[in-house]
Amino acid sequence: LAKTTQPISMDSYEGQEVNITCSHNNIATNDYITWYQQFPSQGPRFIIQGYKTKVTNEVASLFIPADRKSSTLSLPRVSLSDTAVYYCLVGAYNQGGKLIFGQGTELSVKP
Amino acid sequence: EAGVTQFPSHSVIEKGQTVTLRCDPISGHDNLYWYRRVMGKEIKFLLHFVKESKQDESGMPNNRFLAERTGGTYSTLKVQPAELEDSGVYFCASSRPGVGALYEQYFGPGTRLTVT
């Protein structure tokens, strides 16, 4: 499974756009990139998943360059409630179900 | 639909005692997973059920941990006897049948286990 590297922490202010980049140099052809969000005292929550180029949903956008060795989670106009830990995970659909979590990025949104 | 539920939310036991954690997955989800986070560490996979069968238990730390999923519905995770290093938050997750590794998993709120 591809190892991921992301910043340990980030600070932002309300209303700003936040971009969290994840490196995954050893990503395999079958691997997808998935991001989870975790609030304190809660379990992780799926945000978005992609394979290449750009994916957008009501919560975030995911940008994946052509070489797929990195990805960027973009949160538009963050609010205080976006303060959480964000995890980047990489793996393939056929690898048996388990998620491999890294340390995540602790995002702190200030007023 | 109701989410993944876990019971209890918090358990404090003494070293050497037994604790049983319960997870109720989302109805219809054949896949059920257990994970845990011990203090200061990353969330780690423990095991994966498909219905009542153990698909992958490669993450179970030792034989003091026993997971069951009778009837393919709820699951229990028993720790016997508990040790200090078992303290942490135990998460359960479930996902729809027939999907692969990284399709969306729905997590419960976790059970915080404290062994004193």
Side-chain angles (χ1 to χ4, degrees):
Chain A
L1 294 169
K3 179 177 172 58
T4 60
T5 302
Q6 50 184 123
I8 294 175
S9 63
M10 293 182 69
D11 291 330
S12 182
Y13 291 93
E14 282 190 295
Q16 289 187 333
E17 177 184 76
V18 171
N19 295 308
I20 306 174
T21 297
C22 178
S23 297
H24 27 81
N25 292 318
N26 296 322
I27 189 168
T29 303
N30 294 335
D31 286 345
Y32 282 71
I33 300 154
T34 308
W35 286 79
Y36 277 74
Q37 173 191 56
Q38 185 179 24
F39 298 114
S41 300
Q42 294 187 24
R45 181 176 75 108
F46 174 94
I47 303 177
I48 197 166
Q49 184 175 74
Y51 184 80
K52 62 181 179 181
T53 62
K54 176 184 175 182
V55 179
T56 296
N57 61 23
E58 65 277 5
V59 176
S61 293
L62 178 60
F63 299 91
I64 306 169
D67 66 6
R68 304 200 326 122
K69 293 184 182 300
S70 67
S71 59
T72 299
L73 175 73
S74 181
L75 304 173
R77 300 181 61 79
V78 294
S79 63
L80 296 177
S81 62
D82 292 315
T83 294
V85 179
Y86 293 83
Y87 296 97
C88 166
L89 297 91
V90 172
Y93 275 121
N94 61 350
Q95 288 188 9
K98 63 185 175 185
L99 299 179
I100 308 294
F101 287 87
Q103 62 188 8
T105 296
E106 187 169 0
L107 172 66
S108 178
V109 180
K110 298 177 170 56
Chain B
E1 65 183 359
V4 176
T5 58
Q6 294 186 244
F7 182 84
S9 58
H10 192 184
S11 179
V12 181
I13 61 173
E14 293 183 353
K15 176 183 172 181
Q17 290 186 322
T18 298
V19 62
T20 300
L21 313 181
R22 172 170 171 145
C23 168
D24 286 79
I26 293 172
S27 178
H29 281 195
D30 287 352
N31 295 293
L32 187 149
Y33 313 82
W34 284 97
Y35 297 84
R36 76 171 179 177
R37 167 187 272 148
V38 295
M39 185 65 71
K41 301 289 188 180
E42 298 159 1
I43 298 172
K44 295 289 189 183
F45 166 80
L46 295 179
L47 89 160
H48 170 205
F49 283 101
V50 177
K51 296 185 180 180
E52 66 274 9
S53 299
K54 293 177 183 175
Q55 182 76 14
D56 179 359
E57 49 185 332
S58 61
M60 295 289 266
N62 51 60
N63 59 10
R64 294 185 296 102
F65 289 76
L66 175 63
E68 295 180 324
R69 192 183 183 195
T70 306
T73 54
Y74 72 92
S75 175
T76 58
L77 179 65
K78 179 190 290 187
V79 185
Q80 178 183 30
E83 297 289 345
L84 298 178
E85 63 264 26
D86 301 331
S87 296
V89 182
Y90 289 76
F91 295 104
C92 175
S94 70
S95 70
R96 297 184 183 90
V99 297
L102 286 188
Y103 197 72
E104 182 174 355
Q105 293 188 14
Y106 297 81
F107 281 77
T111 292
R112 180 174 295 278
L113 174 64
T114 303
V115 182
T116 63

